[in-house]
Amino acid sequence: MIGNMMFQPLLISSLIEHAALYHADTAIISKNTDGSMTETAWGQIAQNSKRFANVLQSFGLTVSDRVATIAWNNHRHLESWYGISGSGLVCHTINPRLFPEQHKYMVNDANDKVLIFDKTFLNLVLSIKEAIPYVEHFICLDAYDEDILQAFPEVLFYDDLIAQHSEHFEWPELDETKASSLCYTSGTTGNPKGVLYSHRSTVLHSYAASLPDSFHFSAQDRILPVVPMFHVNAWGTPYSAAMVGCSMVLPGPMLDGESLVQLIDEYEVTNALGVPTIWQGLLNAAYQCGSKLESLVRNVVGGAACPPNMLKAFKDDFQCETIHAWGMTETSPLGAVNQLKAKHAALDDSEKFKLRFAQGRPPYGVSLRVCQDEKGTAESARDGQLPGHLQIKGHWIVESYFDQFNHALTQDGWFDTGDIATLDQDGYMQISDRSKDLIKSGGEWISSVELENIAIAHPELDMVAVIAATHPKWDERPILIAKKSAASSLSEAEILDFYANKIAKWQIPDKVVFVDAIPVGGTGKILKKDLREAYGSILLAAVPA
Ligand code: AMP
């Protein structure tokens, strides 16, 4: 047939070009590592991203080489992202909260050629430097600093580099299926696994995430992504923001409630995104200082289940609509988002709250199903009743992990999320449990298996299990259930001491519960569900909300 539409590859460079052309003066407000503020705009971000692309070219990097970042949400990080991915390189964001062994593993596994970092992470970088021999260039995301140069003589400074290079750069016309960024999942036993996003998946995800029934972004908004750029690319918000031309406030390293209230009020943020722990901190701070968060029209909560009273607190006390969303590193992350439909308008408030407490329904571009097993052999009814293994497929869902040849999918092409959920006929999904043996504390993963392996190495413990206990601040915290050997007089403090230097401090269990027996099922597996029922609330009494 004659006649066709144009074909243009969906590229990340097209997002920043669009923002530069049509939203050049839209503000990007950024908190620097020292707490000072920088006000810039999309036009300037685009120019500097081109300068940085020239810097990277001058290093002789070739398409798909990896460039790592260890940085907070700030304007230089944003510029570097567009410079890296736009020029055909892969932006590998690293979570600074992980253990140094994991940092070394990830940088080497990704074969990063350049590592750029915020001042805050100088010591982290120095501590792993000798173990990451393939990194050829280290760039401090800041202006020249004599002290840093003293500590790290081969370091380059971002501001110097971009000042030396031209703002003219021709973005390459890449294949849209080429990799654009890389993010590692953590918390699993064994090494972290890399998820490689493509230009195409990123652009399509940005469309879906911006829609009114998703994060609801527009050129009238000023958004505050509190979710870090090293957590699934800040949920893709820097890409969606360029697509719709909204203004952004980037909060830098200060994510405490007080600092966030100040940013929201001073810069009139309309929409903010983060994990429940962040919002709990924000609510407490706002109550304390009497702020009404007047500009805040909506906030997005995801990464962990939204406590029901949080939706109500934002609505009743701040007239702010809280949008509950679900996703994971492997899903870019948006897999479901909770917005009501027209038919729900007649429901009363309590019924609406009940519906909105679920994790939501999939936007166009992804599909969900729940199955009776993780292989996906039998799909469960979409009746909102029977929980099953939640599986997903779509344009921005992982197919295989970085550098692993095996597909991560079921035989019929779905990705098993490791979450247990119900699905109703309208597509509303509600998570009820997790099949993966992980604990999510304040948005960061802790592997229960790793904690068990450490504890069981103690000669006076016969059997152990680590479970997630609900925590009012951190959503979940690990607790250790332990059966001591007969003659042992081991104390809780001694066991907790045993964890020191074997794991990051914040991953050490909050509590040890000594028991006479740990329940096991027919196949000899520990019945963690029973343990969660028995001890899952044990921290709620101990810690004031
Ligand atoms: P990550 O890959 O670190 O983004 O973690 C993804 C996992 O976090 C999911 O598989 C869920 O177990 C959990 N998660 C994310 N969002 C939610 C949510 N809204 N409610 C409950 N759990 C969530």
Side-chain angles (χ1 to χ4, degrees):
M1 203 167 313
I2 297 176
N4 209 343
M5 304 308 280
M6 288 182 194
F7 173 81
Q8 284 190 338
L10 302 171
L11 298 178
I12 284 177
S13 54
S14 68
L15 296 173
I16 191 68
E17 276 302 296
H18 174 84
L21 261 174
Y22 305 111
H23 305 281
D25 60 356
T26 297
I28 304 293
I29 297 151
S30 167
K31 188 171 266 189
N32 299 308
T33 48
D34 62 3
S36 63
M37 301 299 296
T38 296
E39 289 203 34
T40 170
W42 277 117
Q44 189 71 39
I45 297 284
Q47 270 182 15
N48 284 346
S49 71
K50 290 188 171 183
R51 291 179 194 275
F52 193 59
N54 279 320
V55 172
L56 295 168
Q57 291 289 299
S58 74
F59 292 160
L61 302 178
T62 52
V63 170
S64 295
D65 275 347
R66 268 75 69 197
V67 176
T69 73
I70 311 185
W72 299 111
N73 296 8
N74 59 51
H75 64 291
R76 294 183 178 96
H77 196 187
L78 181 67
E79 292 166 1
S80 72
W81 264 28
Y82 278 108
I84 297 166
S85 301
S87 63
L89 305 170
V90 175
C91 182
H92 170 202
T93 48
I94 293 181
N95 181 350
R97 295 175 182 142
L98 301 182
F99 211 47
E101 285 313 310
Q102 292 173 312
H103 291 135
K104 290 177 205 164
Y105 172 81
M106 289 185 293
V107 174
N108 288 331
D109 187 60
N111 200 356
D112 294 322
K113 294 278 165 49
V114 180
L115 195 159
I116 69 183
F117 61 95
D118 269 341
K119 258 184 191 174
T120 332
F121 302 119
L122 174 68
N123 286 338
L124 187 164
V125 175
L126 288 175
S127 75
I128 62 169
K129 191 174 138 275
E130 300 308 323
I132 48 172
Y134 308 113
V135 176
E136 295 163 9
H137 306 276
F138 293 89
I139 302 173
C140 177
L141 269 181
D142 223 304
Y144 175 85
D145 183 319
E146 186 65 39
D147 291 342
I148 291 185
L149 194 64
Q150 291 280 330
F152 196 174
E154 62 266 51
V155 80
L156 302 165
F157 291 96
Y158 180 83
D159 287 8
D160 290 352
L161 288 171
I162 59 167
Q164 289 157 15
H165 284 82
S166 155
E167 68 194 55
H168 299 290
F169 183 85
E170 200 65 43
W171 298 117
E173 181 110 343
L174 305 161
D175 172 350
E176 64 179 15
T177 61
K178 277 241 174 305
S180 57
S181 58
L182 174 65
C183 214
Y184 280 74
T185 62
S186 54
T188 46
T189 46
N191 289 319
K193 286 189 286 194
V195 178
L196 205 50
Y197 309 101
S198 70
H199 286 264
R200 174 186 160 82
S201 72
T202 305
V203 173
L204 291 175
H205 178 268
S206 308
Y207 270 119
S210 307
L211 290 170
D213 267 4
S214 296
F215 298 162
H216 201 302
F217 289 166
S218 94
Q220 293 172 29
D221 275 310
R222 173 163 290 164
I223 66 164
L224 170 70
V226 187
V227 51
M229 288 164 77
F230 54 77
H231 268 176
V232 214
N233 297 330
W235 300 346
T237 49
Y239 304 121
S240 296
M243 179 177 268
V244 304
C246 61
S247 172
M248 278 205 281
V249 176
L250 300 170
M254 288 154 212
L255 307 182
D256 59 286
E258 233 171 275
S259 304
L260 296 176
V261 169
Q262 214 176 9
L263 285 180
I264 291 170
D265 286 346
E266 184 166 351
Y267 297 103
E268 301 185 332
V269 169
T270 58
N271 188 347
L273 306 95
V275 295
T277 305
I278 290 291
W279 298 142
Q280 198 54 59
L282 179 89
L283 285 173
N284 293 344
Y287 288 131
Q288 201 145 39
C289 71
S291 164
K292 285 284 162 208
L293 303 174
E294 257 166 50
S295 59
L296 201 64
V297 180
R298 56 184 63 87
N299 65 332
V300 178
V301 57
C306 175
N309 56 359
M310 191 171 274
L311 288 177
K312 226 172 133 31
F314 272 108
K315 182 79 187 156
D316 292 352
D317 300 340
F318 300 94
Q319 282 75 55
C320 170
E321 198 77 20
T322 300
I323 304 165
H324 192 190
W326 168 90
M328 46 194 313
T329 307
E330 287 89 337
T331 67
S332 297
L334 190 58
V337 59
N338 199 329
Q339 298 270 14
L340 298 183
K341 297 184 177 184
K343 69 177 179 184
H344 299 129
L347 298 178
D348 69 30
D349 274 359
S350 68
E351 287 170 312
K352 281 187 188 155
F353 274 125
K354 202 163 152 243
L355 258 181
R356 290 182 46 229
F357 170 58
Q359 276 73 11
R361 52 193 165 82
Y364 168 78
V366 290
S367 309
L368 295 177
R369 71 176 185 187
V370 288
C371 288
Q372 286 159 31
D373 63 26
E374 56 215 0
K375 292 199 193 105
T377 33
E379 194 175 336
S380 307
R382 290 169 184 255
D383 60 2
Q385 299 294 323
L386 190 68
H389 294 259
L390 178 67
Q391 305 192 333
I392 186 166
K393 72 177 188 179
H395 297 297
W396 49 87
I397 310 302
V398 71
E399 182 178 72
S400 52
Y401 288 99
F402 174 68
D403 237 6
Q404 297 190 8
F405 292 105
N406 299 339
H407 275 196
L409 309 182
T410 62
Q411 260 187 342
D412 61 344
W414 291 71
F415 176 75
D416 187 84
T417 63
D419 287 325
I420 307 292
T422 56
L423 203 56
D424 75 10
Q425 60 200 14
D426 285 332
Y428 285 90
M429 182 270 287
Q430 182 150 12
I431 305 258
S432 56
D433 202 356
R434 199 178 278 146
S435 71
K436 49 197 172 195
D437 226 345
L438 296 172
I439 295 152
K440 206 164 200 191
S441 167
E444 302 284 354
W445 286 118
I446 301 174
S447 160
S448 51
V449 177
E450 207 167 338
L451 295 185
E452 287 162 3
N453 288 344
I454 294 173
I456 203 62
H458 195 291
E460 291 180 40
L461 291 181
D462 277 353
M463 196 170 173
V464 298
V466 170
I467 59 161
T470 309
H471 189 282
K473 176 162 186 209
W474 301 110
D475 307 315
E476 292 177 359
R477 289 293 302 157
I479 61 167
L480 175 73
I481 317 291
K483 179 177 174 296
K484 290 192 268 195
S485 56
S488 169
S489 59
L490 203 59
S491 69
E492 176 173 19
E494 283 169 319
I495 300 185
L496 297 180
D497 268 358
F498 190 65
Y499 276 104
N501 303 320
K502 297 190 175 89
I503 198 148
K505 248 197 209 138
W506 60 271
Q507 299 183 329
I508 296 177
D510 272 22
K511 191 170 181 58
V512 180
V513 178
F514 292 113
V515 291
D516 294 333
I518 291 182
V520 289
T523 56
K525 264 178 114 175
I526 293 177
L527 296 174
K528 289 211 173 169
K529 201 158 176 286
D530 291 4
L531 290 174
R532 278 200 295 270
E533 270 162 30
Y535 303 108
S537 304
I538 203 165
L539 299 178
L540 291 178
V543 190

